[in-house]
Amino acid sequence: MNNARFLLFLFVAIVLFSCKKEVNQYIIGVSQCSDDEWRQKMNLEMLHEVLFHKDITLQIKSVTDDTDQQIRDIQAFIAQKVDLLIVAPNEAAAVTPVIEKAYAQKIPVILVDRKITSDHYSAFIGADNEQIGKDVGNYVAKLLGGKGNVVEICGLNGSSPAAERHNGFTSVINQYSAINLLTSIDGAWLKDVAEAKTEEILRNFPQINLVFAHNDRMAIGAYNVAQKQGKADSIFFVGIDALPGKTGGIEQVLNHKLKATFIYPTNGYKIIQLAKDILQGKSYQKNNTLYTNIVDETNAQILKLQTDAIIEQEDKINVLNSQINSYVKQYVRQNYLFLTVVSIAVIITMILILLLRAYLSKNKLNNLLKQQNVEINKQKELLEQQRDQLITLSKQLEEATHAKLVFFTNISHEFRTPLTLISGPINSLLSENNFNIEQRRLLELVQKNIKILLKLIDQIIDFRKYENGKMILTLSRHDLRAQLVEWNDSFAELARKRNLYFSFNVFSDTDFTMLVDIQKMERIYFNLLSNALKFTPEKEIILISLDKTTESNKSFAVIEVANSGKGISDEDIKHIFERFYQVDSQAVGSGIGLALSKAMVELHGGDIAVNNEEAGWTKFIVRIPFENEKEVGNGETGEIRQANTGDISEMLNENTARKAIFEEKSLDKNACTVLVVDDNPDICTYIKSTLAGKQYTVIEAADGADGFRKAIKHVPDIIISDVMMPVMDGVELCQKLKNELSTSHIPVILLTAASLDEQRITGFQSGADDYISKPFNPDVLEVRVANLIESRRRLKELFSENLFSANADKEAKPTNDLENSFLEKFRNLVEQNLTDSELNVEDLGQQIGLSRTQLYRKLKSLTGYSPNELLRIIRLKRAYHLLSTTELTISEVTYDVGFTAPSYFAKCFKDYYNESPTDFLKRVR
């Protein structure tokens, strides 16, 4: 059966191979914007050229000035996965996205005659439409003797040839003050549209000396209307295309309907040659300009004879091509029959060979199986050795872990002595009343962190007891509900500082007095709540509930801790209660808190679980069994907020829609703004107190992601960030800030407890301006902040001087490529749109990619000037230059530099240069 399949495959392969030379290797899609005579001539030239390239198939689709249909045609070519696209865009802006899509999918694109609004294409071939416009302008000026009334009938509005021809034509005509361009109208490249527009023009402008149309069709249409009204003899008509044939421009010149027409080359054969070079990976020019020439009464007859001869030769080529195709088809059929016979003979031969190979293969397989059995036995022995090694390594790892735990336990005991010696004096100092509020607050901060260290030490010791199986319960009767309320007070202030919605609910009237080890319950609850606070983003929600449930005649107290945010992955949930496991590799912690909590819950005879809820919610559920539950009436509950009925899942959905909205406090505009990013609120408070009262406004952020959002929003003067943080660490934050245009200029100081040179190098490579190790001297921090802000101020002056320098492009610039690029882009945008009196900050920000506020803060930080001030100064500098070097009047200069009124311009000029424009002209001229 397998041999038969192989023979069938072989037969098909032979037939396909024999026919392969008849299969075209390349498919080229052609999308034309119209089906006029000029495009038909180009298509015919391309088809003739393809006759010499048998490996190319040409698929041509034309539309009649229908942009939407052209876009659909190009999308069809993309879906077909053609090898190359040739496109003449109908409207540049509208067709640009679909051409960029093809270019992004590695399909080469050749633009013919017309360009798009971006440079995402492979090559362009066509005439220089702006130069054609200039040639026509020079011809018209010469024909009219430098004076007269001219009307321009343009191509379709939005197409690049129409815009370029108009720009070239008017750039020449405007040099002749005696030539009046009465109007420029949109003829849409169509004869009937030009006729309708010409009737209206002849009514409005009776004295017309010349009509220039962007193609011969529109020129003939204008001539026909003028002839009907008896005005054709007094008006010259000039067109572009110079096509052969009875309706072409050459014939119309000979018939004295057109005074002249300009050749607009098609060169379809060059297009195919360029496409072949691209497909074969040869070198090619991106821009290929075709040149034009004038056709008038002096050379029209000669060109007509030449084109008639060419058309006759093309007709003969078409006949020969048809005959050749017929001969090729006959040859293919005969070749196919011959190859079929040869294939059958080959198949018979292969059958005999296969039979011989099958016999030899059978013997070879038997020998191979014997060798494989030997290899399998060797691998079995090797696996047994590896298993023994793994068992040994596992024992060594267990011993190393045990030694590490012993070490940490011993160190933890050693920490207690110095902490006690620190805690005692602090408590004694706090009992005194001779400290001011700030000194007392700092002492309380020290006392608070001593308690945190003692709790961490106790946790390590408890974990060691759990590992050794020596953890025991010290049971006593406590009201669990009252205890939760008391413990919540320890976290309420921290939640408020972090702008978190914190809620505690009791869903049962049961008396929650029960037999528990209260210290271990506190440890369980603190671990769960600390985790929730650590991984809950700012302005999110933490919901805690207490309830009672019964299962198999056994009652349980159920504590649920839920928080909104990004949730926990299913893979992390599988391992979250394993010792030393951390969900976030960047998070600070030991990874034993949840493992220890699970052990303590199980000692109570309960269980603990974690679930992922909808919309990014995470919920931890702890169940502790009752010993002797008692039902009570409606007494005092003591909870933060009481809820008698409902379910925690319903509360999640309800409170998601009720997130608190927190407003940022207004910043002092006269003070320097400092953004402090640290997941430890005490560090933020300490730095804030260090910089308070020293002309600094301090903003706090809980992690790198929050810090990046606030940096984008406020654009502070300096940023102080911790390195190790959840969600986003300080190094990543620094990299994002330095790569973001609106924040790249902000100096960044990184704080870290790490002191290795490699870690410092990583920080500086991320773009950090300074690096300070913890613990730090507050005076050193204050001096470094002041120095960096002063350095930024001096750099601001250098940027400002460079921006307004007359030789800004040649002078030395500050060594910040991103800032130089930004300022150069801003200045170029202003200079390019200087005459636009409507130019405003919103337009500039949109073109640069920043909001109005971000642009204001960025420019203010870099130069000391607002965008409007910079815009006005650049305009005044340009006016100063024009008044000094040209003969323009003050009014002309006013409008050339974008001012709306000479009086306002004179006021601004005098304010900046301390003399009026009139006095300045008198002094200079």
Side-chain angles (χ1 to χ4, degrees):
M1 188 67 179
N2 290 333
N3 289 337
R5 288 178 181 173
F6 174 76
L7 291 174
L8 179 61
F9 171 76
L10 181 63
F11 174 75
V12 173
I14 292 173
V15 173
L16 289 177
F17 178 77
S18 65
C19 299
K20 184 178 180 181
K21 62 183 178 180
E22 303 300 332
V23 179
N24 292 306
Q25 297 179 10
Y26 304 117
I27 299 176
I28 299 178
V30 182
S31 174
Q32 294 282 20
C33 60
S34 67
D35 194 26
D36 56 23
E37 296 87 347
W38 190 85
R39 307 266 171 214
Q40 291 174 1
K41 183 172 181 293
M42 179 194 294
N43 294 341
L44 189 61
E45 290 174 353
M46 289 192 291
L47 290 171
H48 285 166
E49 181 65 22
V50 166
L51 295 176
F52 300 99
H53 303 278
K54 287 300 183 180
D55 55 349
I56 293 179
T57 295
L58 211 59
Q59 296 182 4
I60 301 176
K61 295 184 180 181
S62 300
V63 298
T64 305
D65 297 324
D66 187 342
T67 303
D68 293 336
Q69 181 59 46
Q70 186 175 38
I71 292 173
R72 288 193 291 272
D73 290 345
I74 296 174
Q75 289 174 338
F77 282 137
I78 295 173
Q80 187 182 344
K81 297 182 179 179
V82 296
D83 299 290
L84 185 140
L85 270 174
I86 299 173
V87 182
N90 189 46
E91 292 182 89
V95 179
T96 295
V98 72
I99 291 179
E100 289 180 335
K101 177 183 177 183
Y103 189 74
Q105 295 185 15
K106 308 300 182 184
I107 299 177
V109 180
I110 299 177
L111 298 181
V112 178
D113 174 35
R114 306 176 179 194
K115 292 185 177 181
I116 58 175
T117 58
S118 76
D119 59 352
H120 291 173
Y121 57 87
S122 304
F124 168 78
I125 184 168
D128 186 342
N129 283 289
E130 187 166 353
Q131 185 60 45
I132 290 176
K134 290 180 180 179
D135 292 344
V136 175
N138 289 321
Y139 173 77
V140 168
K142 183 178 179 181
L143 181 65
L144 296 178
K147 60 182 179 179
N149 296 323
V150 179
V151 171
E152 181 186 20
I153 304 177
C154 300
L156 180 65
N157 185 24
S159 63
S160 59
E164 292 169 358
R165 292 176 188 180
H166 171 75
N167 293 338
F169 179 69
T170 55
S171 68
V172 174
I173 292 300
N174 289 339
Q175 298 175 10
Y176 297 88
S177 58
I179 296 179
N180 298 318
L181 181 58
L182 299 177
T183 182
S184 294
I185 61 171
D186 181 4
W189 306 112
L190 300 176
K191 180 180 178 183
D192 53 350
V193 175
E195 289 177 345
K197 296 290 181 70
T198 303
E199 290 180 356
E200 182 179 353
I201 291 172
L202 293 176
R203 286 196 302 269
N204 296 333
F205 304 101
Q207 297 298 325
I208 299 175
N209 300 108
L210 184 141
V211 174
F212 163 48
H214 284 196
N215 67 9
D216 291 339
R217 285 191 297 171
M218 296 191 294
I220 295 302
Y223 172 85
N224 292 339
V225 173
Q227 188 179 42
K228 289 179 183 178
Q229 297 185 14
K231 298 180 179 180
D233 293 336
S234 62
I235 301 174
F236 294 127
F237 294 88
V238 178
I240 296 176
D241 278 348
L243 292 174
K246 293 182 178 180
T247 60
I250 297 175
E251 191 73 28
Q252 303 308 320
V253 172
L254 291 173
N255 293 337
H256 305 292
K257 292 183 179 181
L258 299 183
K259 183 64 178 174
T261 179
F262 284 74
I263 296 175
Y264 194 61
T266 51
N267 283 346
Y269 63 93
K270 284 189 177 180
I271 297 171
I272 297 301
Q273 291 170 2
L274 176 60
K276 190 66 178 290
D277 288 343
I278 294 174
L279 289 171
Q280 292 182 344
K282 297 180 180 179
S283 61
Y284 64 92
Q285 291 184 353
K286 183 165 185 175
N287 291 301
N288 302 270
T289 303
L290 306 177
Y291 298 98
T292 184
N293 203 351
I294 187 172
V295 178
D296 56 14
E297 296 173 349
T298 63
N299 59 358
Q301 187 62 44
I302 296 174
L303 287 173
K304 182 177 184 302
L305 292 174
Q306 291 175 344
T307 54
D308 289 346
I310 291 172
I311 291 172
E312 183 179 354
Q313 292 298 323
E314 288 177 345
D315 292 339
K316 291 180 180 179
I317 290 173
N318 289 334
V319 172
L320 289 173
N321 184 49
S322 300
Q323 292 176 351
I324 290 172
N325 288 336
S326 175
Y327 295 149
V328 168
K329 290 179 182 178
Q330 184 177 358
Y331 168 77
V332 169
R333 287 194 297 269
Q334 293 174 352
N335 191 42
Y336 178 78
L337 290 173
F338 171 76
L339 290 172
T340 302
V341 173
V342 172
S343 299
I344 293 172
V346 171
I347 289 172
I348 294 173
T349 303
M350 292 301 297
I351 291 173
L352 296 175
I353 294 173
L354 287 173
L355 290 173
L356 178 61
R357 287 186 60 188
Y359 173 77
L360 296 175
S361 297
K362 181 180 179 182
N363 292 332
K364 185 177 180 180
L365 284 172
N366 289 333
N367 295 330
L368 183 61
L369 285 173
K370 292 178 181 178
Q371 293 177 2
Q372 288 179 344
N373 286 332
V374 174
E375 291 294 329
I376 289 172
N377 290 329
K378 290 181 179 179
Q379 289 180 359
K380 180 180 177 183
E381 293 175 359
L382 180 62
L383 287 173
E384 289 176 351
Q385 293 176 1
Q386 291 176 346
R387 181 197 62 191
D388 295 339
Q389 291 175 355
L390 285 174
I391 292 172
T392 303
L393 286 173
S394 177
K395 290 180 179 179
Q396 292 174 352
L397 181 61
E398 186 174 350
E399 291 172 357
T401 302
H402 176 77
K404 181 172 66 174
L405 286 172
V406 170
F407 171 75
F408 281 132
T409 304
N410 293 338
I411 286 294
S412 299
H413 281 292
E414 294 297 326
F415 279 155
R416 281 183 169 276
T417 300
L419 283 174
T420 302
L421 294 176
I422 296 172
S423 178
I426 292 296
N427 290 332
S428 298
L429 290 172
L430 284 172
S431 64
E432 301 292 334
N433 295 321
N434 54 353
F435 297 105
N436 59 34
I437 295 175
E438 179 62 19
Q439 291 171 335
R440 178 168 292 276
R441 190 189 63 76
L442 292 174
L443 288 172
E444 288 173 348
L445 181 64
V446 175
Q447 184 187 48
K448 173 185 174 182
N449 282 276
I450 289 172
K451 291 179 179 178
I452 292 173
L453 280 173
L454 288 172
K455 285 183 179 293
L456 291 174
I457 290 169
D458 290 340
Q459 184 161 289
I460 293 174
I461 294 172
D462 284 343
F463 188 75
R464 175 67 181 146
K465 290 178 181 178
Y466 161 67
E467 288 286 304
N468 291 334
K470 294 181 180 180
M471 184 182 290
I472 59 174
L473 293 178
T474 304
L475 298 176
S476 57
R477 197 167 295 280
H478 294 274
D479 184 349
L480 187 59
R481 174 164 45 188
Q483 290 295 328
L484 293 183
V485 171
E486 180 183 339
W487 296 334
N488 285 339
D489 291 339
S490 303
F491 293 93
E493 178 63 20
L494 180 58
R496 184 191 64 78
K497 285 184 178 180
R498 293 193 55 193
N499 291 337
L500 300 177
Y501 182 84
F502 187 85
S503 174
F504 174 58
N505 306 278
V506 181
F507 293 119
S508 174
D509 290 334
T510 301
D511 181 3
F512 283 94
T513 301
M514 51 196 300
L515 208 59
V516 293
D517 185 328
I518 197 62
Q519 290 185 350
K520 290 181 174 54
M521 284 301 301
E522 180 183 13
R523 192 72 49 76
I524 294 166
Y525 190 66
F526 268 55
N527 279 337
L528 294 178
L529 208 48
S530 296
N531 253 23
L533 285 167
K534 183 188 299 183
F535 294 103
T536 304
E538 187 177 358
K539 299 182 184 178
E540 293 289 340
I541 301 171
I542 296 177
L543 297 180
I544 304 166
S545 70
L546 177 63
D547 200 359
K548 176 185 176 181
T549 184
T550 302
E551 183 180 313
S552 302
N553 296 324
K554 189 174 183 179
S555 297
F556 294 87
V558 181
I559 303 171
E560 295 186 357
V561 178
N563 67 283
S564 61
K566 64 179 182 180
I568 304 175
S569 69
D570 293 338
E571 184 64 26
D572 287 329
I573 286 179
K574 295 178 182 177
H575 307 286
I576 198 165
F577 293 112
E578 295 177 4
R579 60 182 184 177
F580 308 123
Y581 185 82
Q582 291 179 291
V583 172
D584 187 352
S585 61
Q586 299 297 329
V588 179
S590 61
I592 65 173
L594 289 176
L596 186 60
S597 297
K598 184 174 185 292
M600 291 177 176
V601 170
E602 290 174 349
L603 273 176
H604 280 85
D607 54 60
I608 183 172
V610 60
N611 295 325
N612 260 337
E613 304 290 326
E614 295 181 357
W617 282 87
T618 302
K619 181 166 64 176
F620 283 85
I621 305 167
V622 176
R623 300 198 312 164
I624 303 294
F626 278 83
E627 287 295 326
N628 295 303
E629 69 267 29
K630 298 186 295 180
E631 299 295 331
V632 298
N634 291 330
E636 264 188 87
T637 59
E639 64 273 15
I640 292 176
R641 197 183 72 180
Q642 178 73 33
N644 293 324
T645 60
D647 181 78
I648 187 64
S649 299
E650 296 174 1
M651 289 297 297
L652 297 182
N653 296 328
E654 175 188 347
N655 283 285
T656 299
R658 294 171 50 198
K659 290 182 180 179
I661 300 174
F662 300 94
E663 300 290 340
E664 292 284 352
K665 295 182 179 180
S666 59
L667 303 179
D668 183 356
K669 295 183 179 179
N670 296 322
C672 292
T673 305
V674 181
L675 173 60
V676 180
V677 187
D678 201 304
D679 58 331
N680 188 329
D682 290 335
I683 293 293
C684 292
T685 303
Y686 180 56
I687 295 175
K688 187 173 184 179
S689 65
T690 299
L691 299 177
K694 297 179 177 63
Q695 294 300 313
Y696 296 112
T697 298
V698 180
I699 306 171
E700 299 178 30
D703 54 56
D706 185 30
F708 183 72
R709 288 192 298 270
K710 289 186 176 178
I712 292 292
K713 180 178 180 181
H714 297 289
V715 191
D717 295 286
I718 191 167
I719 296 173
I720 303 172
S721 174
D722 188 20
V723 173
M724 297 296 290
M725 294 182 292
V727 184
M728 182 191 296
D729 62 32
V731 173
E732 183 182 354
L733 169 63
C734 187
Q735 289 173 338
K736 291 192 68 173
L737 289 170
K738 294 300 181 180
N739 291 327
E740 176 65 32
L741 180 60
S742 62
T743 58
S744 58
H745 64 282
I746 303 174
V748 177
I749 298 176
L750 291 180
L751 299 177
T752 180
S755 58
L756 295 178
D757 289 341
E758 291 83 355
Q759 294 165 326
R760 289 175 175 270
I761 291 171
T762 302
F764 284 122
Q765 287 175 341
S766 71
D769 297 87
D770 207 341
Y771 211 101
I772 299 179
S773 298
K774 295 179 182 178
F776 57 86
N777 187 315
D779 294 332
V780 172
L781 176 64
E782 182 183 346
V783 169
R784 290 189 178 180
V785 168
N787 287 344
L788 283 174
I789 291 177
E790 176 61 21
S791 297
R792 177 54 58 178
R793 184 191 64 77
R794 291 196 296 270
L795 190 61
K796 181 192 301 183
E797 294 175 358
L798 183 57
F799 273 127
S800 180
E801 292 173 4
N802 183 69
L803 181 65
F804 297 132
S805 173
N807 299 315
D809 294 333
K810 299 178 182 179
E811 293 182 353
K813 297 181 179 180
T815 59
N816 189 320
D817 293 339
L818 191 59
E819 311 309 337
N820 284 330
S821 175
F822 166 74
L823 289 175
E824 186 175 349
K825 184 175 183 181
F826 176 83
R827 189 181 67 186
N828 290 339
L829 282 173
V830 173
E831 291 177 349
Q832 290 168 8
N833 299 276
L834 204 60
T835 59
D836 183 5
S837 60
E838 300 296 325
L839 184 66
N840 53 45
V841 179
E842 285 81 1
D843 296 335
L844 292 170
Q846 186 176 10
Q847 294 185 60
I848 292 176
L850 297 176
S851 69
R852 177 189 177 95
T853 303
Q854 290 173 334
L855 180 62
Y856 175 87
R857 290 173 176 166
K858 180 81 175 179
L859 286 174
K860 195 74 174 176
S861 297
L862 287 177
T863 67
Y865 293 101
S866 69
N868 283 326
E869 289 173 334
L870 287 175
L871 180 59
R872 183 165 61 252
I873 292 172
I874 293 173
R875 282 175 166 162
L876 290 172
K877 292 277 185 180
R878 179 61 177 169
Y880 184 94
H881 175 74
L882 292 175
L883 291 172
S884 303
T885 60
T886 69
E887 297 297 324
L888 296 176
T889 65
I890 293 175
S891 295
E892 289 173 331
V893 170
T894 297
Y895 298 115
D896 279 352
V897 298
F899 281 90
T900 56
S903 59
Y904 179 64
F905 166 71
K907 178 183 180 302
C908 294
F909 191 93
K910 186 172 183 180
D911 290 343
Y912 191 76
Y913 289 109
N914 294 320
E915 64 177 332
S916 67
T918 305
D919 295 338
F920 176 75
L921 280 180
K922 289 178 182 178
R923 180 169 58 82
V924 172
R925 296 182 180 176

